[in-house]
């Protein structure tokens, strides 16, 4: 059988490129590790709505092109806590039969007030400043949510049992933080918070972390 020389050269070149991409991807995978952990607390309710995140990673990260949604349903913000990477656009949706408003008193959100709108409508805001934005509704004063604007995508909302996991983290030494909505509140003169964790990520392995929330 006669082999077309030109076709073979094209095929072989394509094969080398594809193989190179595959090997590069595998190599990148080998240079990353993960974190798994647990939060221990005196009361189960203290674990609810906690967020674990790496404080700073030496890299620039692009925000997602798709918008993230925070809903207003049954007179509640869903989710109550929303971690996002800097530059992310959040769509605020009204799914209730009544009018809702969105505003924030915080500089992280540029003290924004998006106005008031009806069911099925949404308005958007892009979070370009690192920090924590308190989200409120001036029509319903008991509605409250938080948006955490973070430097990198290595974060996770803690599960109900206090467990969490992060993956594909580049090798290196980092500071792992735990945020919870009760950190600023004081119970009998004591704040509910946890100490930061100094961690080191090794390629191909999982680092185990325990936070003591007290």
């Amino acid at each position: 059988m006669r082999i077309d020389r030109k076709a073979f050269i094209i095929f072989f070149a394509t094969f080398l490129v594809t193989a190179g991409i595959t090997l590069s991807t595998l190599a990148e995978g080998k240079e990353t590790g993960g974190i798994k952990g647990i939060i221990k607390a005196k009361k189960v309710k203290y674990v609810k709505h906690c967020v674990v995140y790496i404080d700073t990673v030496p890299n620039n990260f692009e925000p997602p092109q798709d918008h993230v949604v925070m809903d207003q349903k049954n007179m509640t913000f869903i989710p109550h806590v929303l971690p996002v990477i800097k530059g992310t656009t959040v769509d605020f949706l009204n799914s209730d039969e009544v009018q809702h408003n969105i505003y924030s008193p915080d500089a992280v959100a540029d003290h924004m007030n998006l106005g008031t709108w009806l069911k099925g409508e949404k308005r958007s805001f892009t979070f370009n400043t690192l920090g924590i934005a308190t989200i409120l509704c001036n029509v319903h004063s008991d509605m409250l949510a938080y948006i955490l604007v973070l430097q990198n995508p290595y974060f996770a909302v803690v599960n109900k049992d206090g467990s969490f996991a992060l993956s594909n983290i580049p090798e290196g030494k980092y500071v792992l933080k735990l945020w919870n909505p009760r950190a600023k509140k004081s119970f009998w003169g004591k704040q509910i918070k946890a100490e930061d964790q100094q961690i080191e990520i090794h390629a191909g392995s999982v680092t185990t972390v325990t936070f003591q929330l007290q």
Side-chain angles (χ1 to χ4, degrees):
M1 181 178 68
R2 185 178 179 180
I3 299 176
D4 188 300
R5 180 183 177 86
K6 185 177 180 180
F8 176 78
I9 292 174
I10 294 173
F11 169 81
F12 189 67
T14 304
F15 171 80
L16 289 177
V17 172
T18 304
I21 293 173
T22 302
L23 290 174
S24 175
T25 302
L26 291 173
E28 290 176 1
K30 290 181 179 178
E31 294 175 356
T32 65
I35 300 172
K36 69 175 182 179
I38 191 75
I39 299 174
K40 295 183 178 180
K42 292 182 179 180
K43 296 184 179 181
V44 176
K45 67 179 182 178
Y46 293 165
V47 175
K48 191 175 182 180
H49 302 310
C50 285
V51 177
V52 173
Y53 65 97
I54 293 180
D55 186 34
T56 304
V57 176
N59 202 346
N60 294 318
F61 300 93
E62 292 294 326
Q65 292 184 353
D66 293 337
H67 293 186
V68 178
V69 177
M70 176 172 276
D71 200 354
Q72 292 169 292
K73 189 174 183 179
N74 298 324
M75 312 294 284
T76 304
F77 285 110
I78 302 173
H80 178 65
V81 174
L82 177 63
V84 299
I85 190 172
K86 179 182 175 181
T88 297
T89 299
V90 178
D91 290 342
F92 294 95
L93 173 66
N94 181 1
S95 293
D96 278 336
E97 297 292 341
V98 298
Q99 287 188 331
H100 279 307
N101 164 269
I102 290 288
Y103 81 97
S104 176
D106 300 316
V108 172
D110 296 332
H111 308 287
M112 58 90 163
N113 188 328
L114 301 183
T116 305
W117 58 97
L118 298 170
K119 180 179 181 179
E121 297 180 18
K122 63 182 178 182
R123 297 185 186 178
S124 304
F125 185 84
T126 301
F127 290 84
N128 289 315
T129 304
L130 297 177
I132 301 168
T134 306
I135 305 300
L136 301 164
C137 172
N138 65 17
V139 181
H140 308 97
S141 60
D142 57 337
M143 293 181 64
L144 170 67
Y146 299 95
I147 293 180
L148 281 68
V149 187
L150 304 174
Q151 180 263 342
N152 61 79
Y154 305 111
F155 55 76
V157 178
V158 175
N159 298 317
K160 291 182 179 180
D161 63 356
S163 64
F164 62 89
L166 305 176
S167 61
N168 297 321
I169 306 167
E171 282 190 299
K173 295 181 179 180
Y174 304 104
V175 176
L176 189 68
K177 291 178 173 286
L178 172 66
W179 179 89
N180 78 92
R182 296 176 177 81
K184 294 183 179 181
K185 298 178 182 178
S186 179
F187 291 83
W188 301 284
K190 186 176 182 180
Q191 290 181 323
I192 308 301
K193 61 181 182 179
E195 297 295 329
D196 296 345
Q197 298 280 341
Q198 305 291 327
I199 61 169
E200 186 168 1
I201 300 298
H202 298 282
S205 65
V206 176
T207 300
T208 303
V209 177
T210 299
F211 279 104
Q212 189 68 49
L213 192 57
Q214 54 185 0

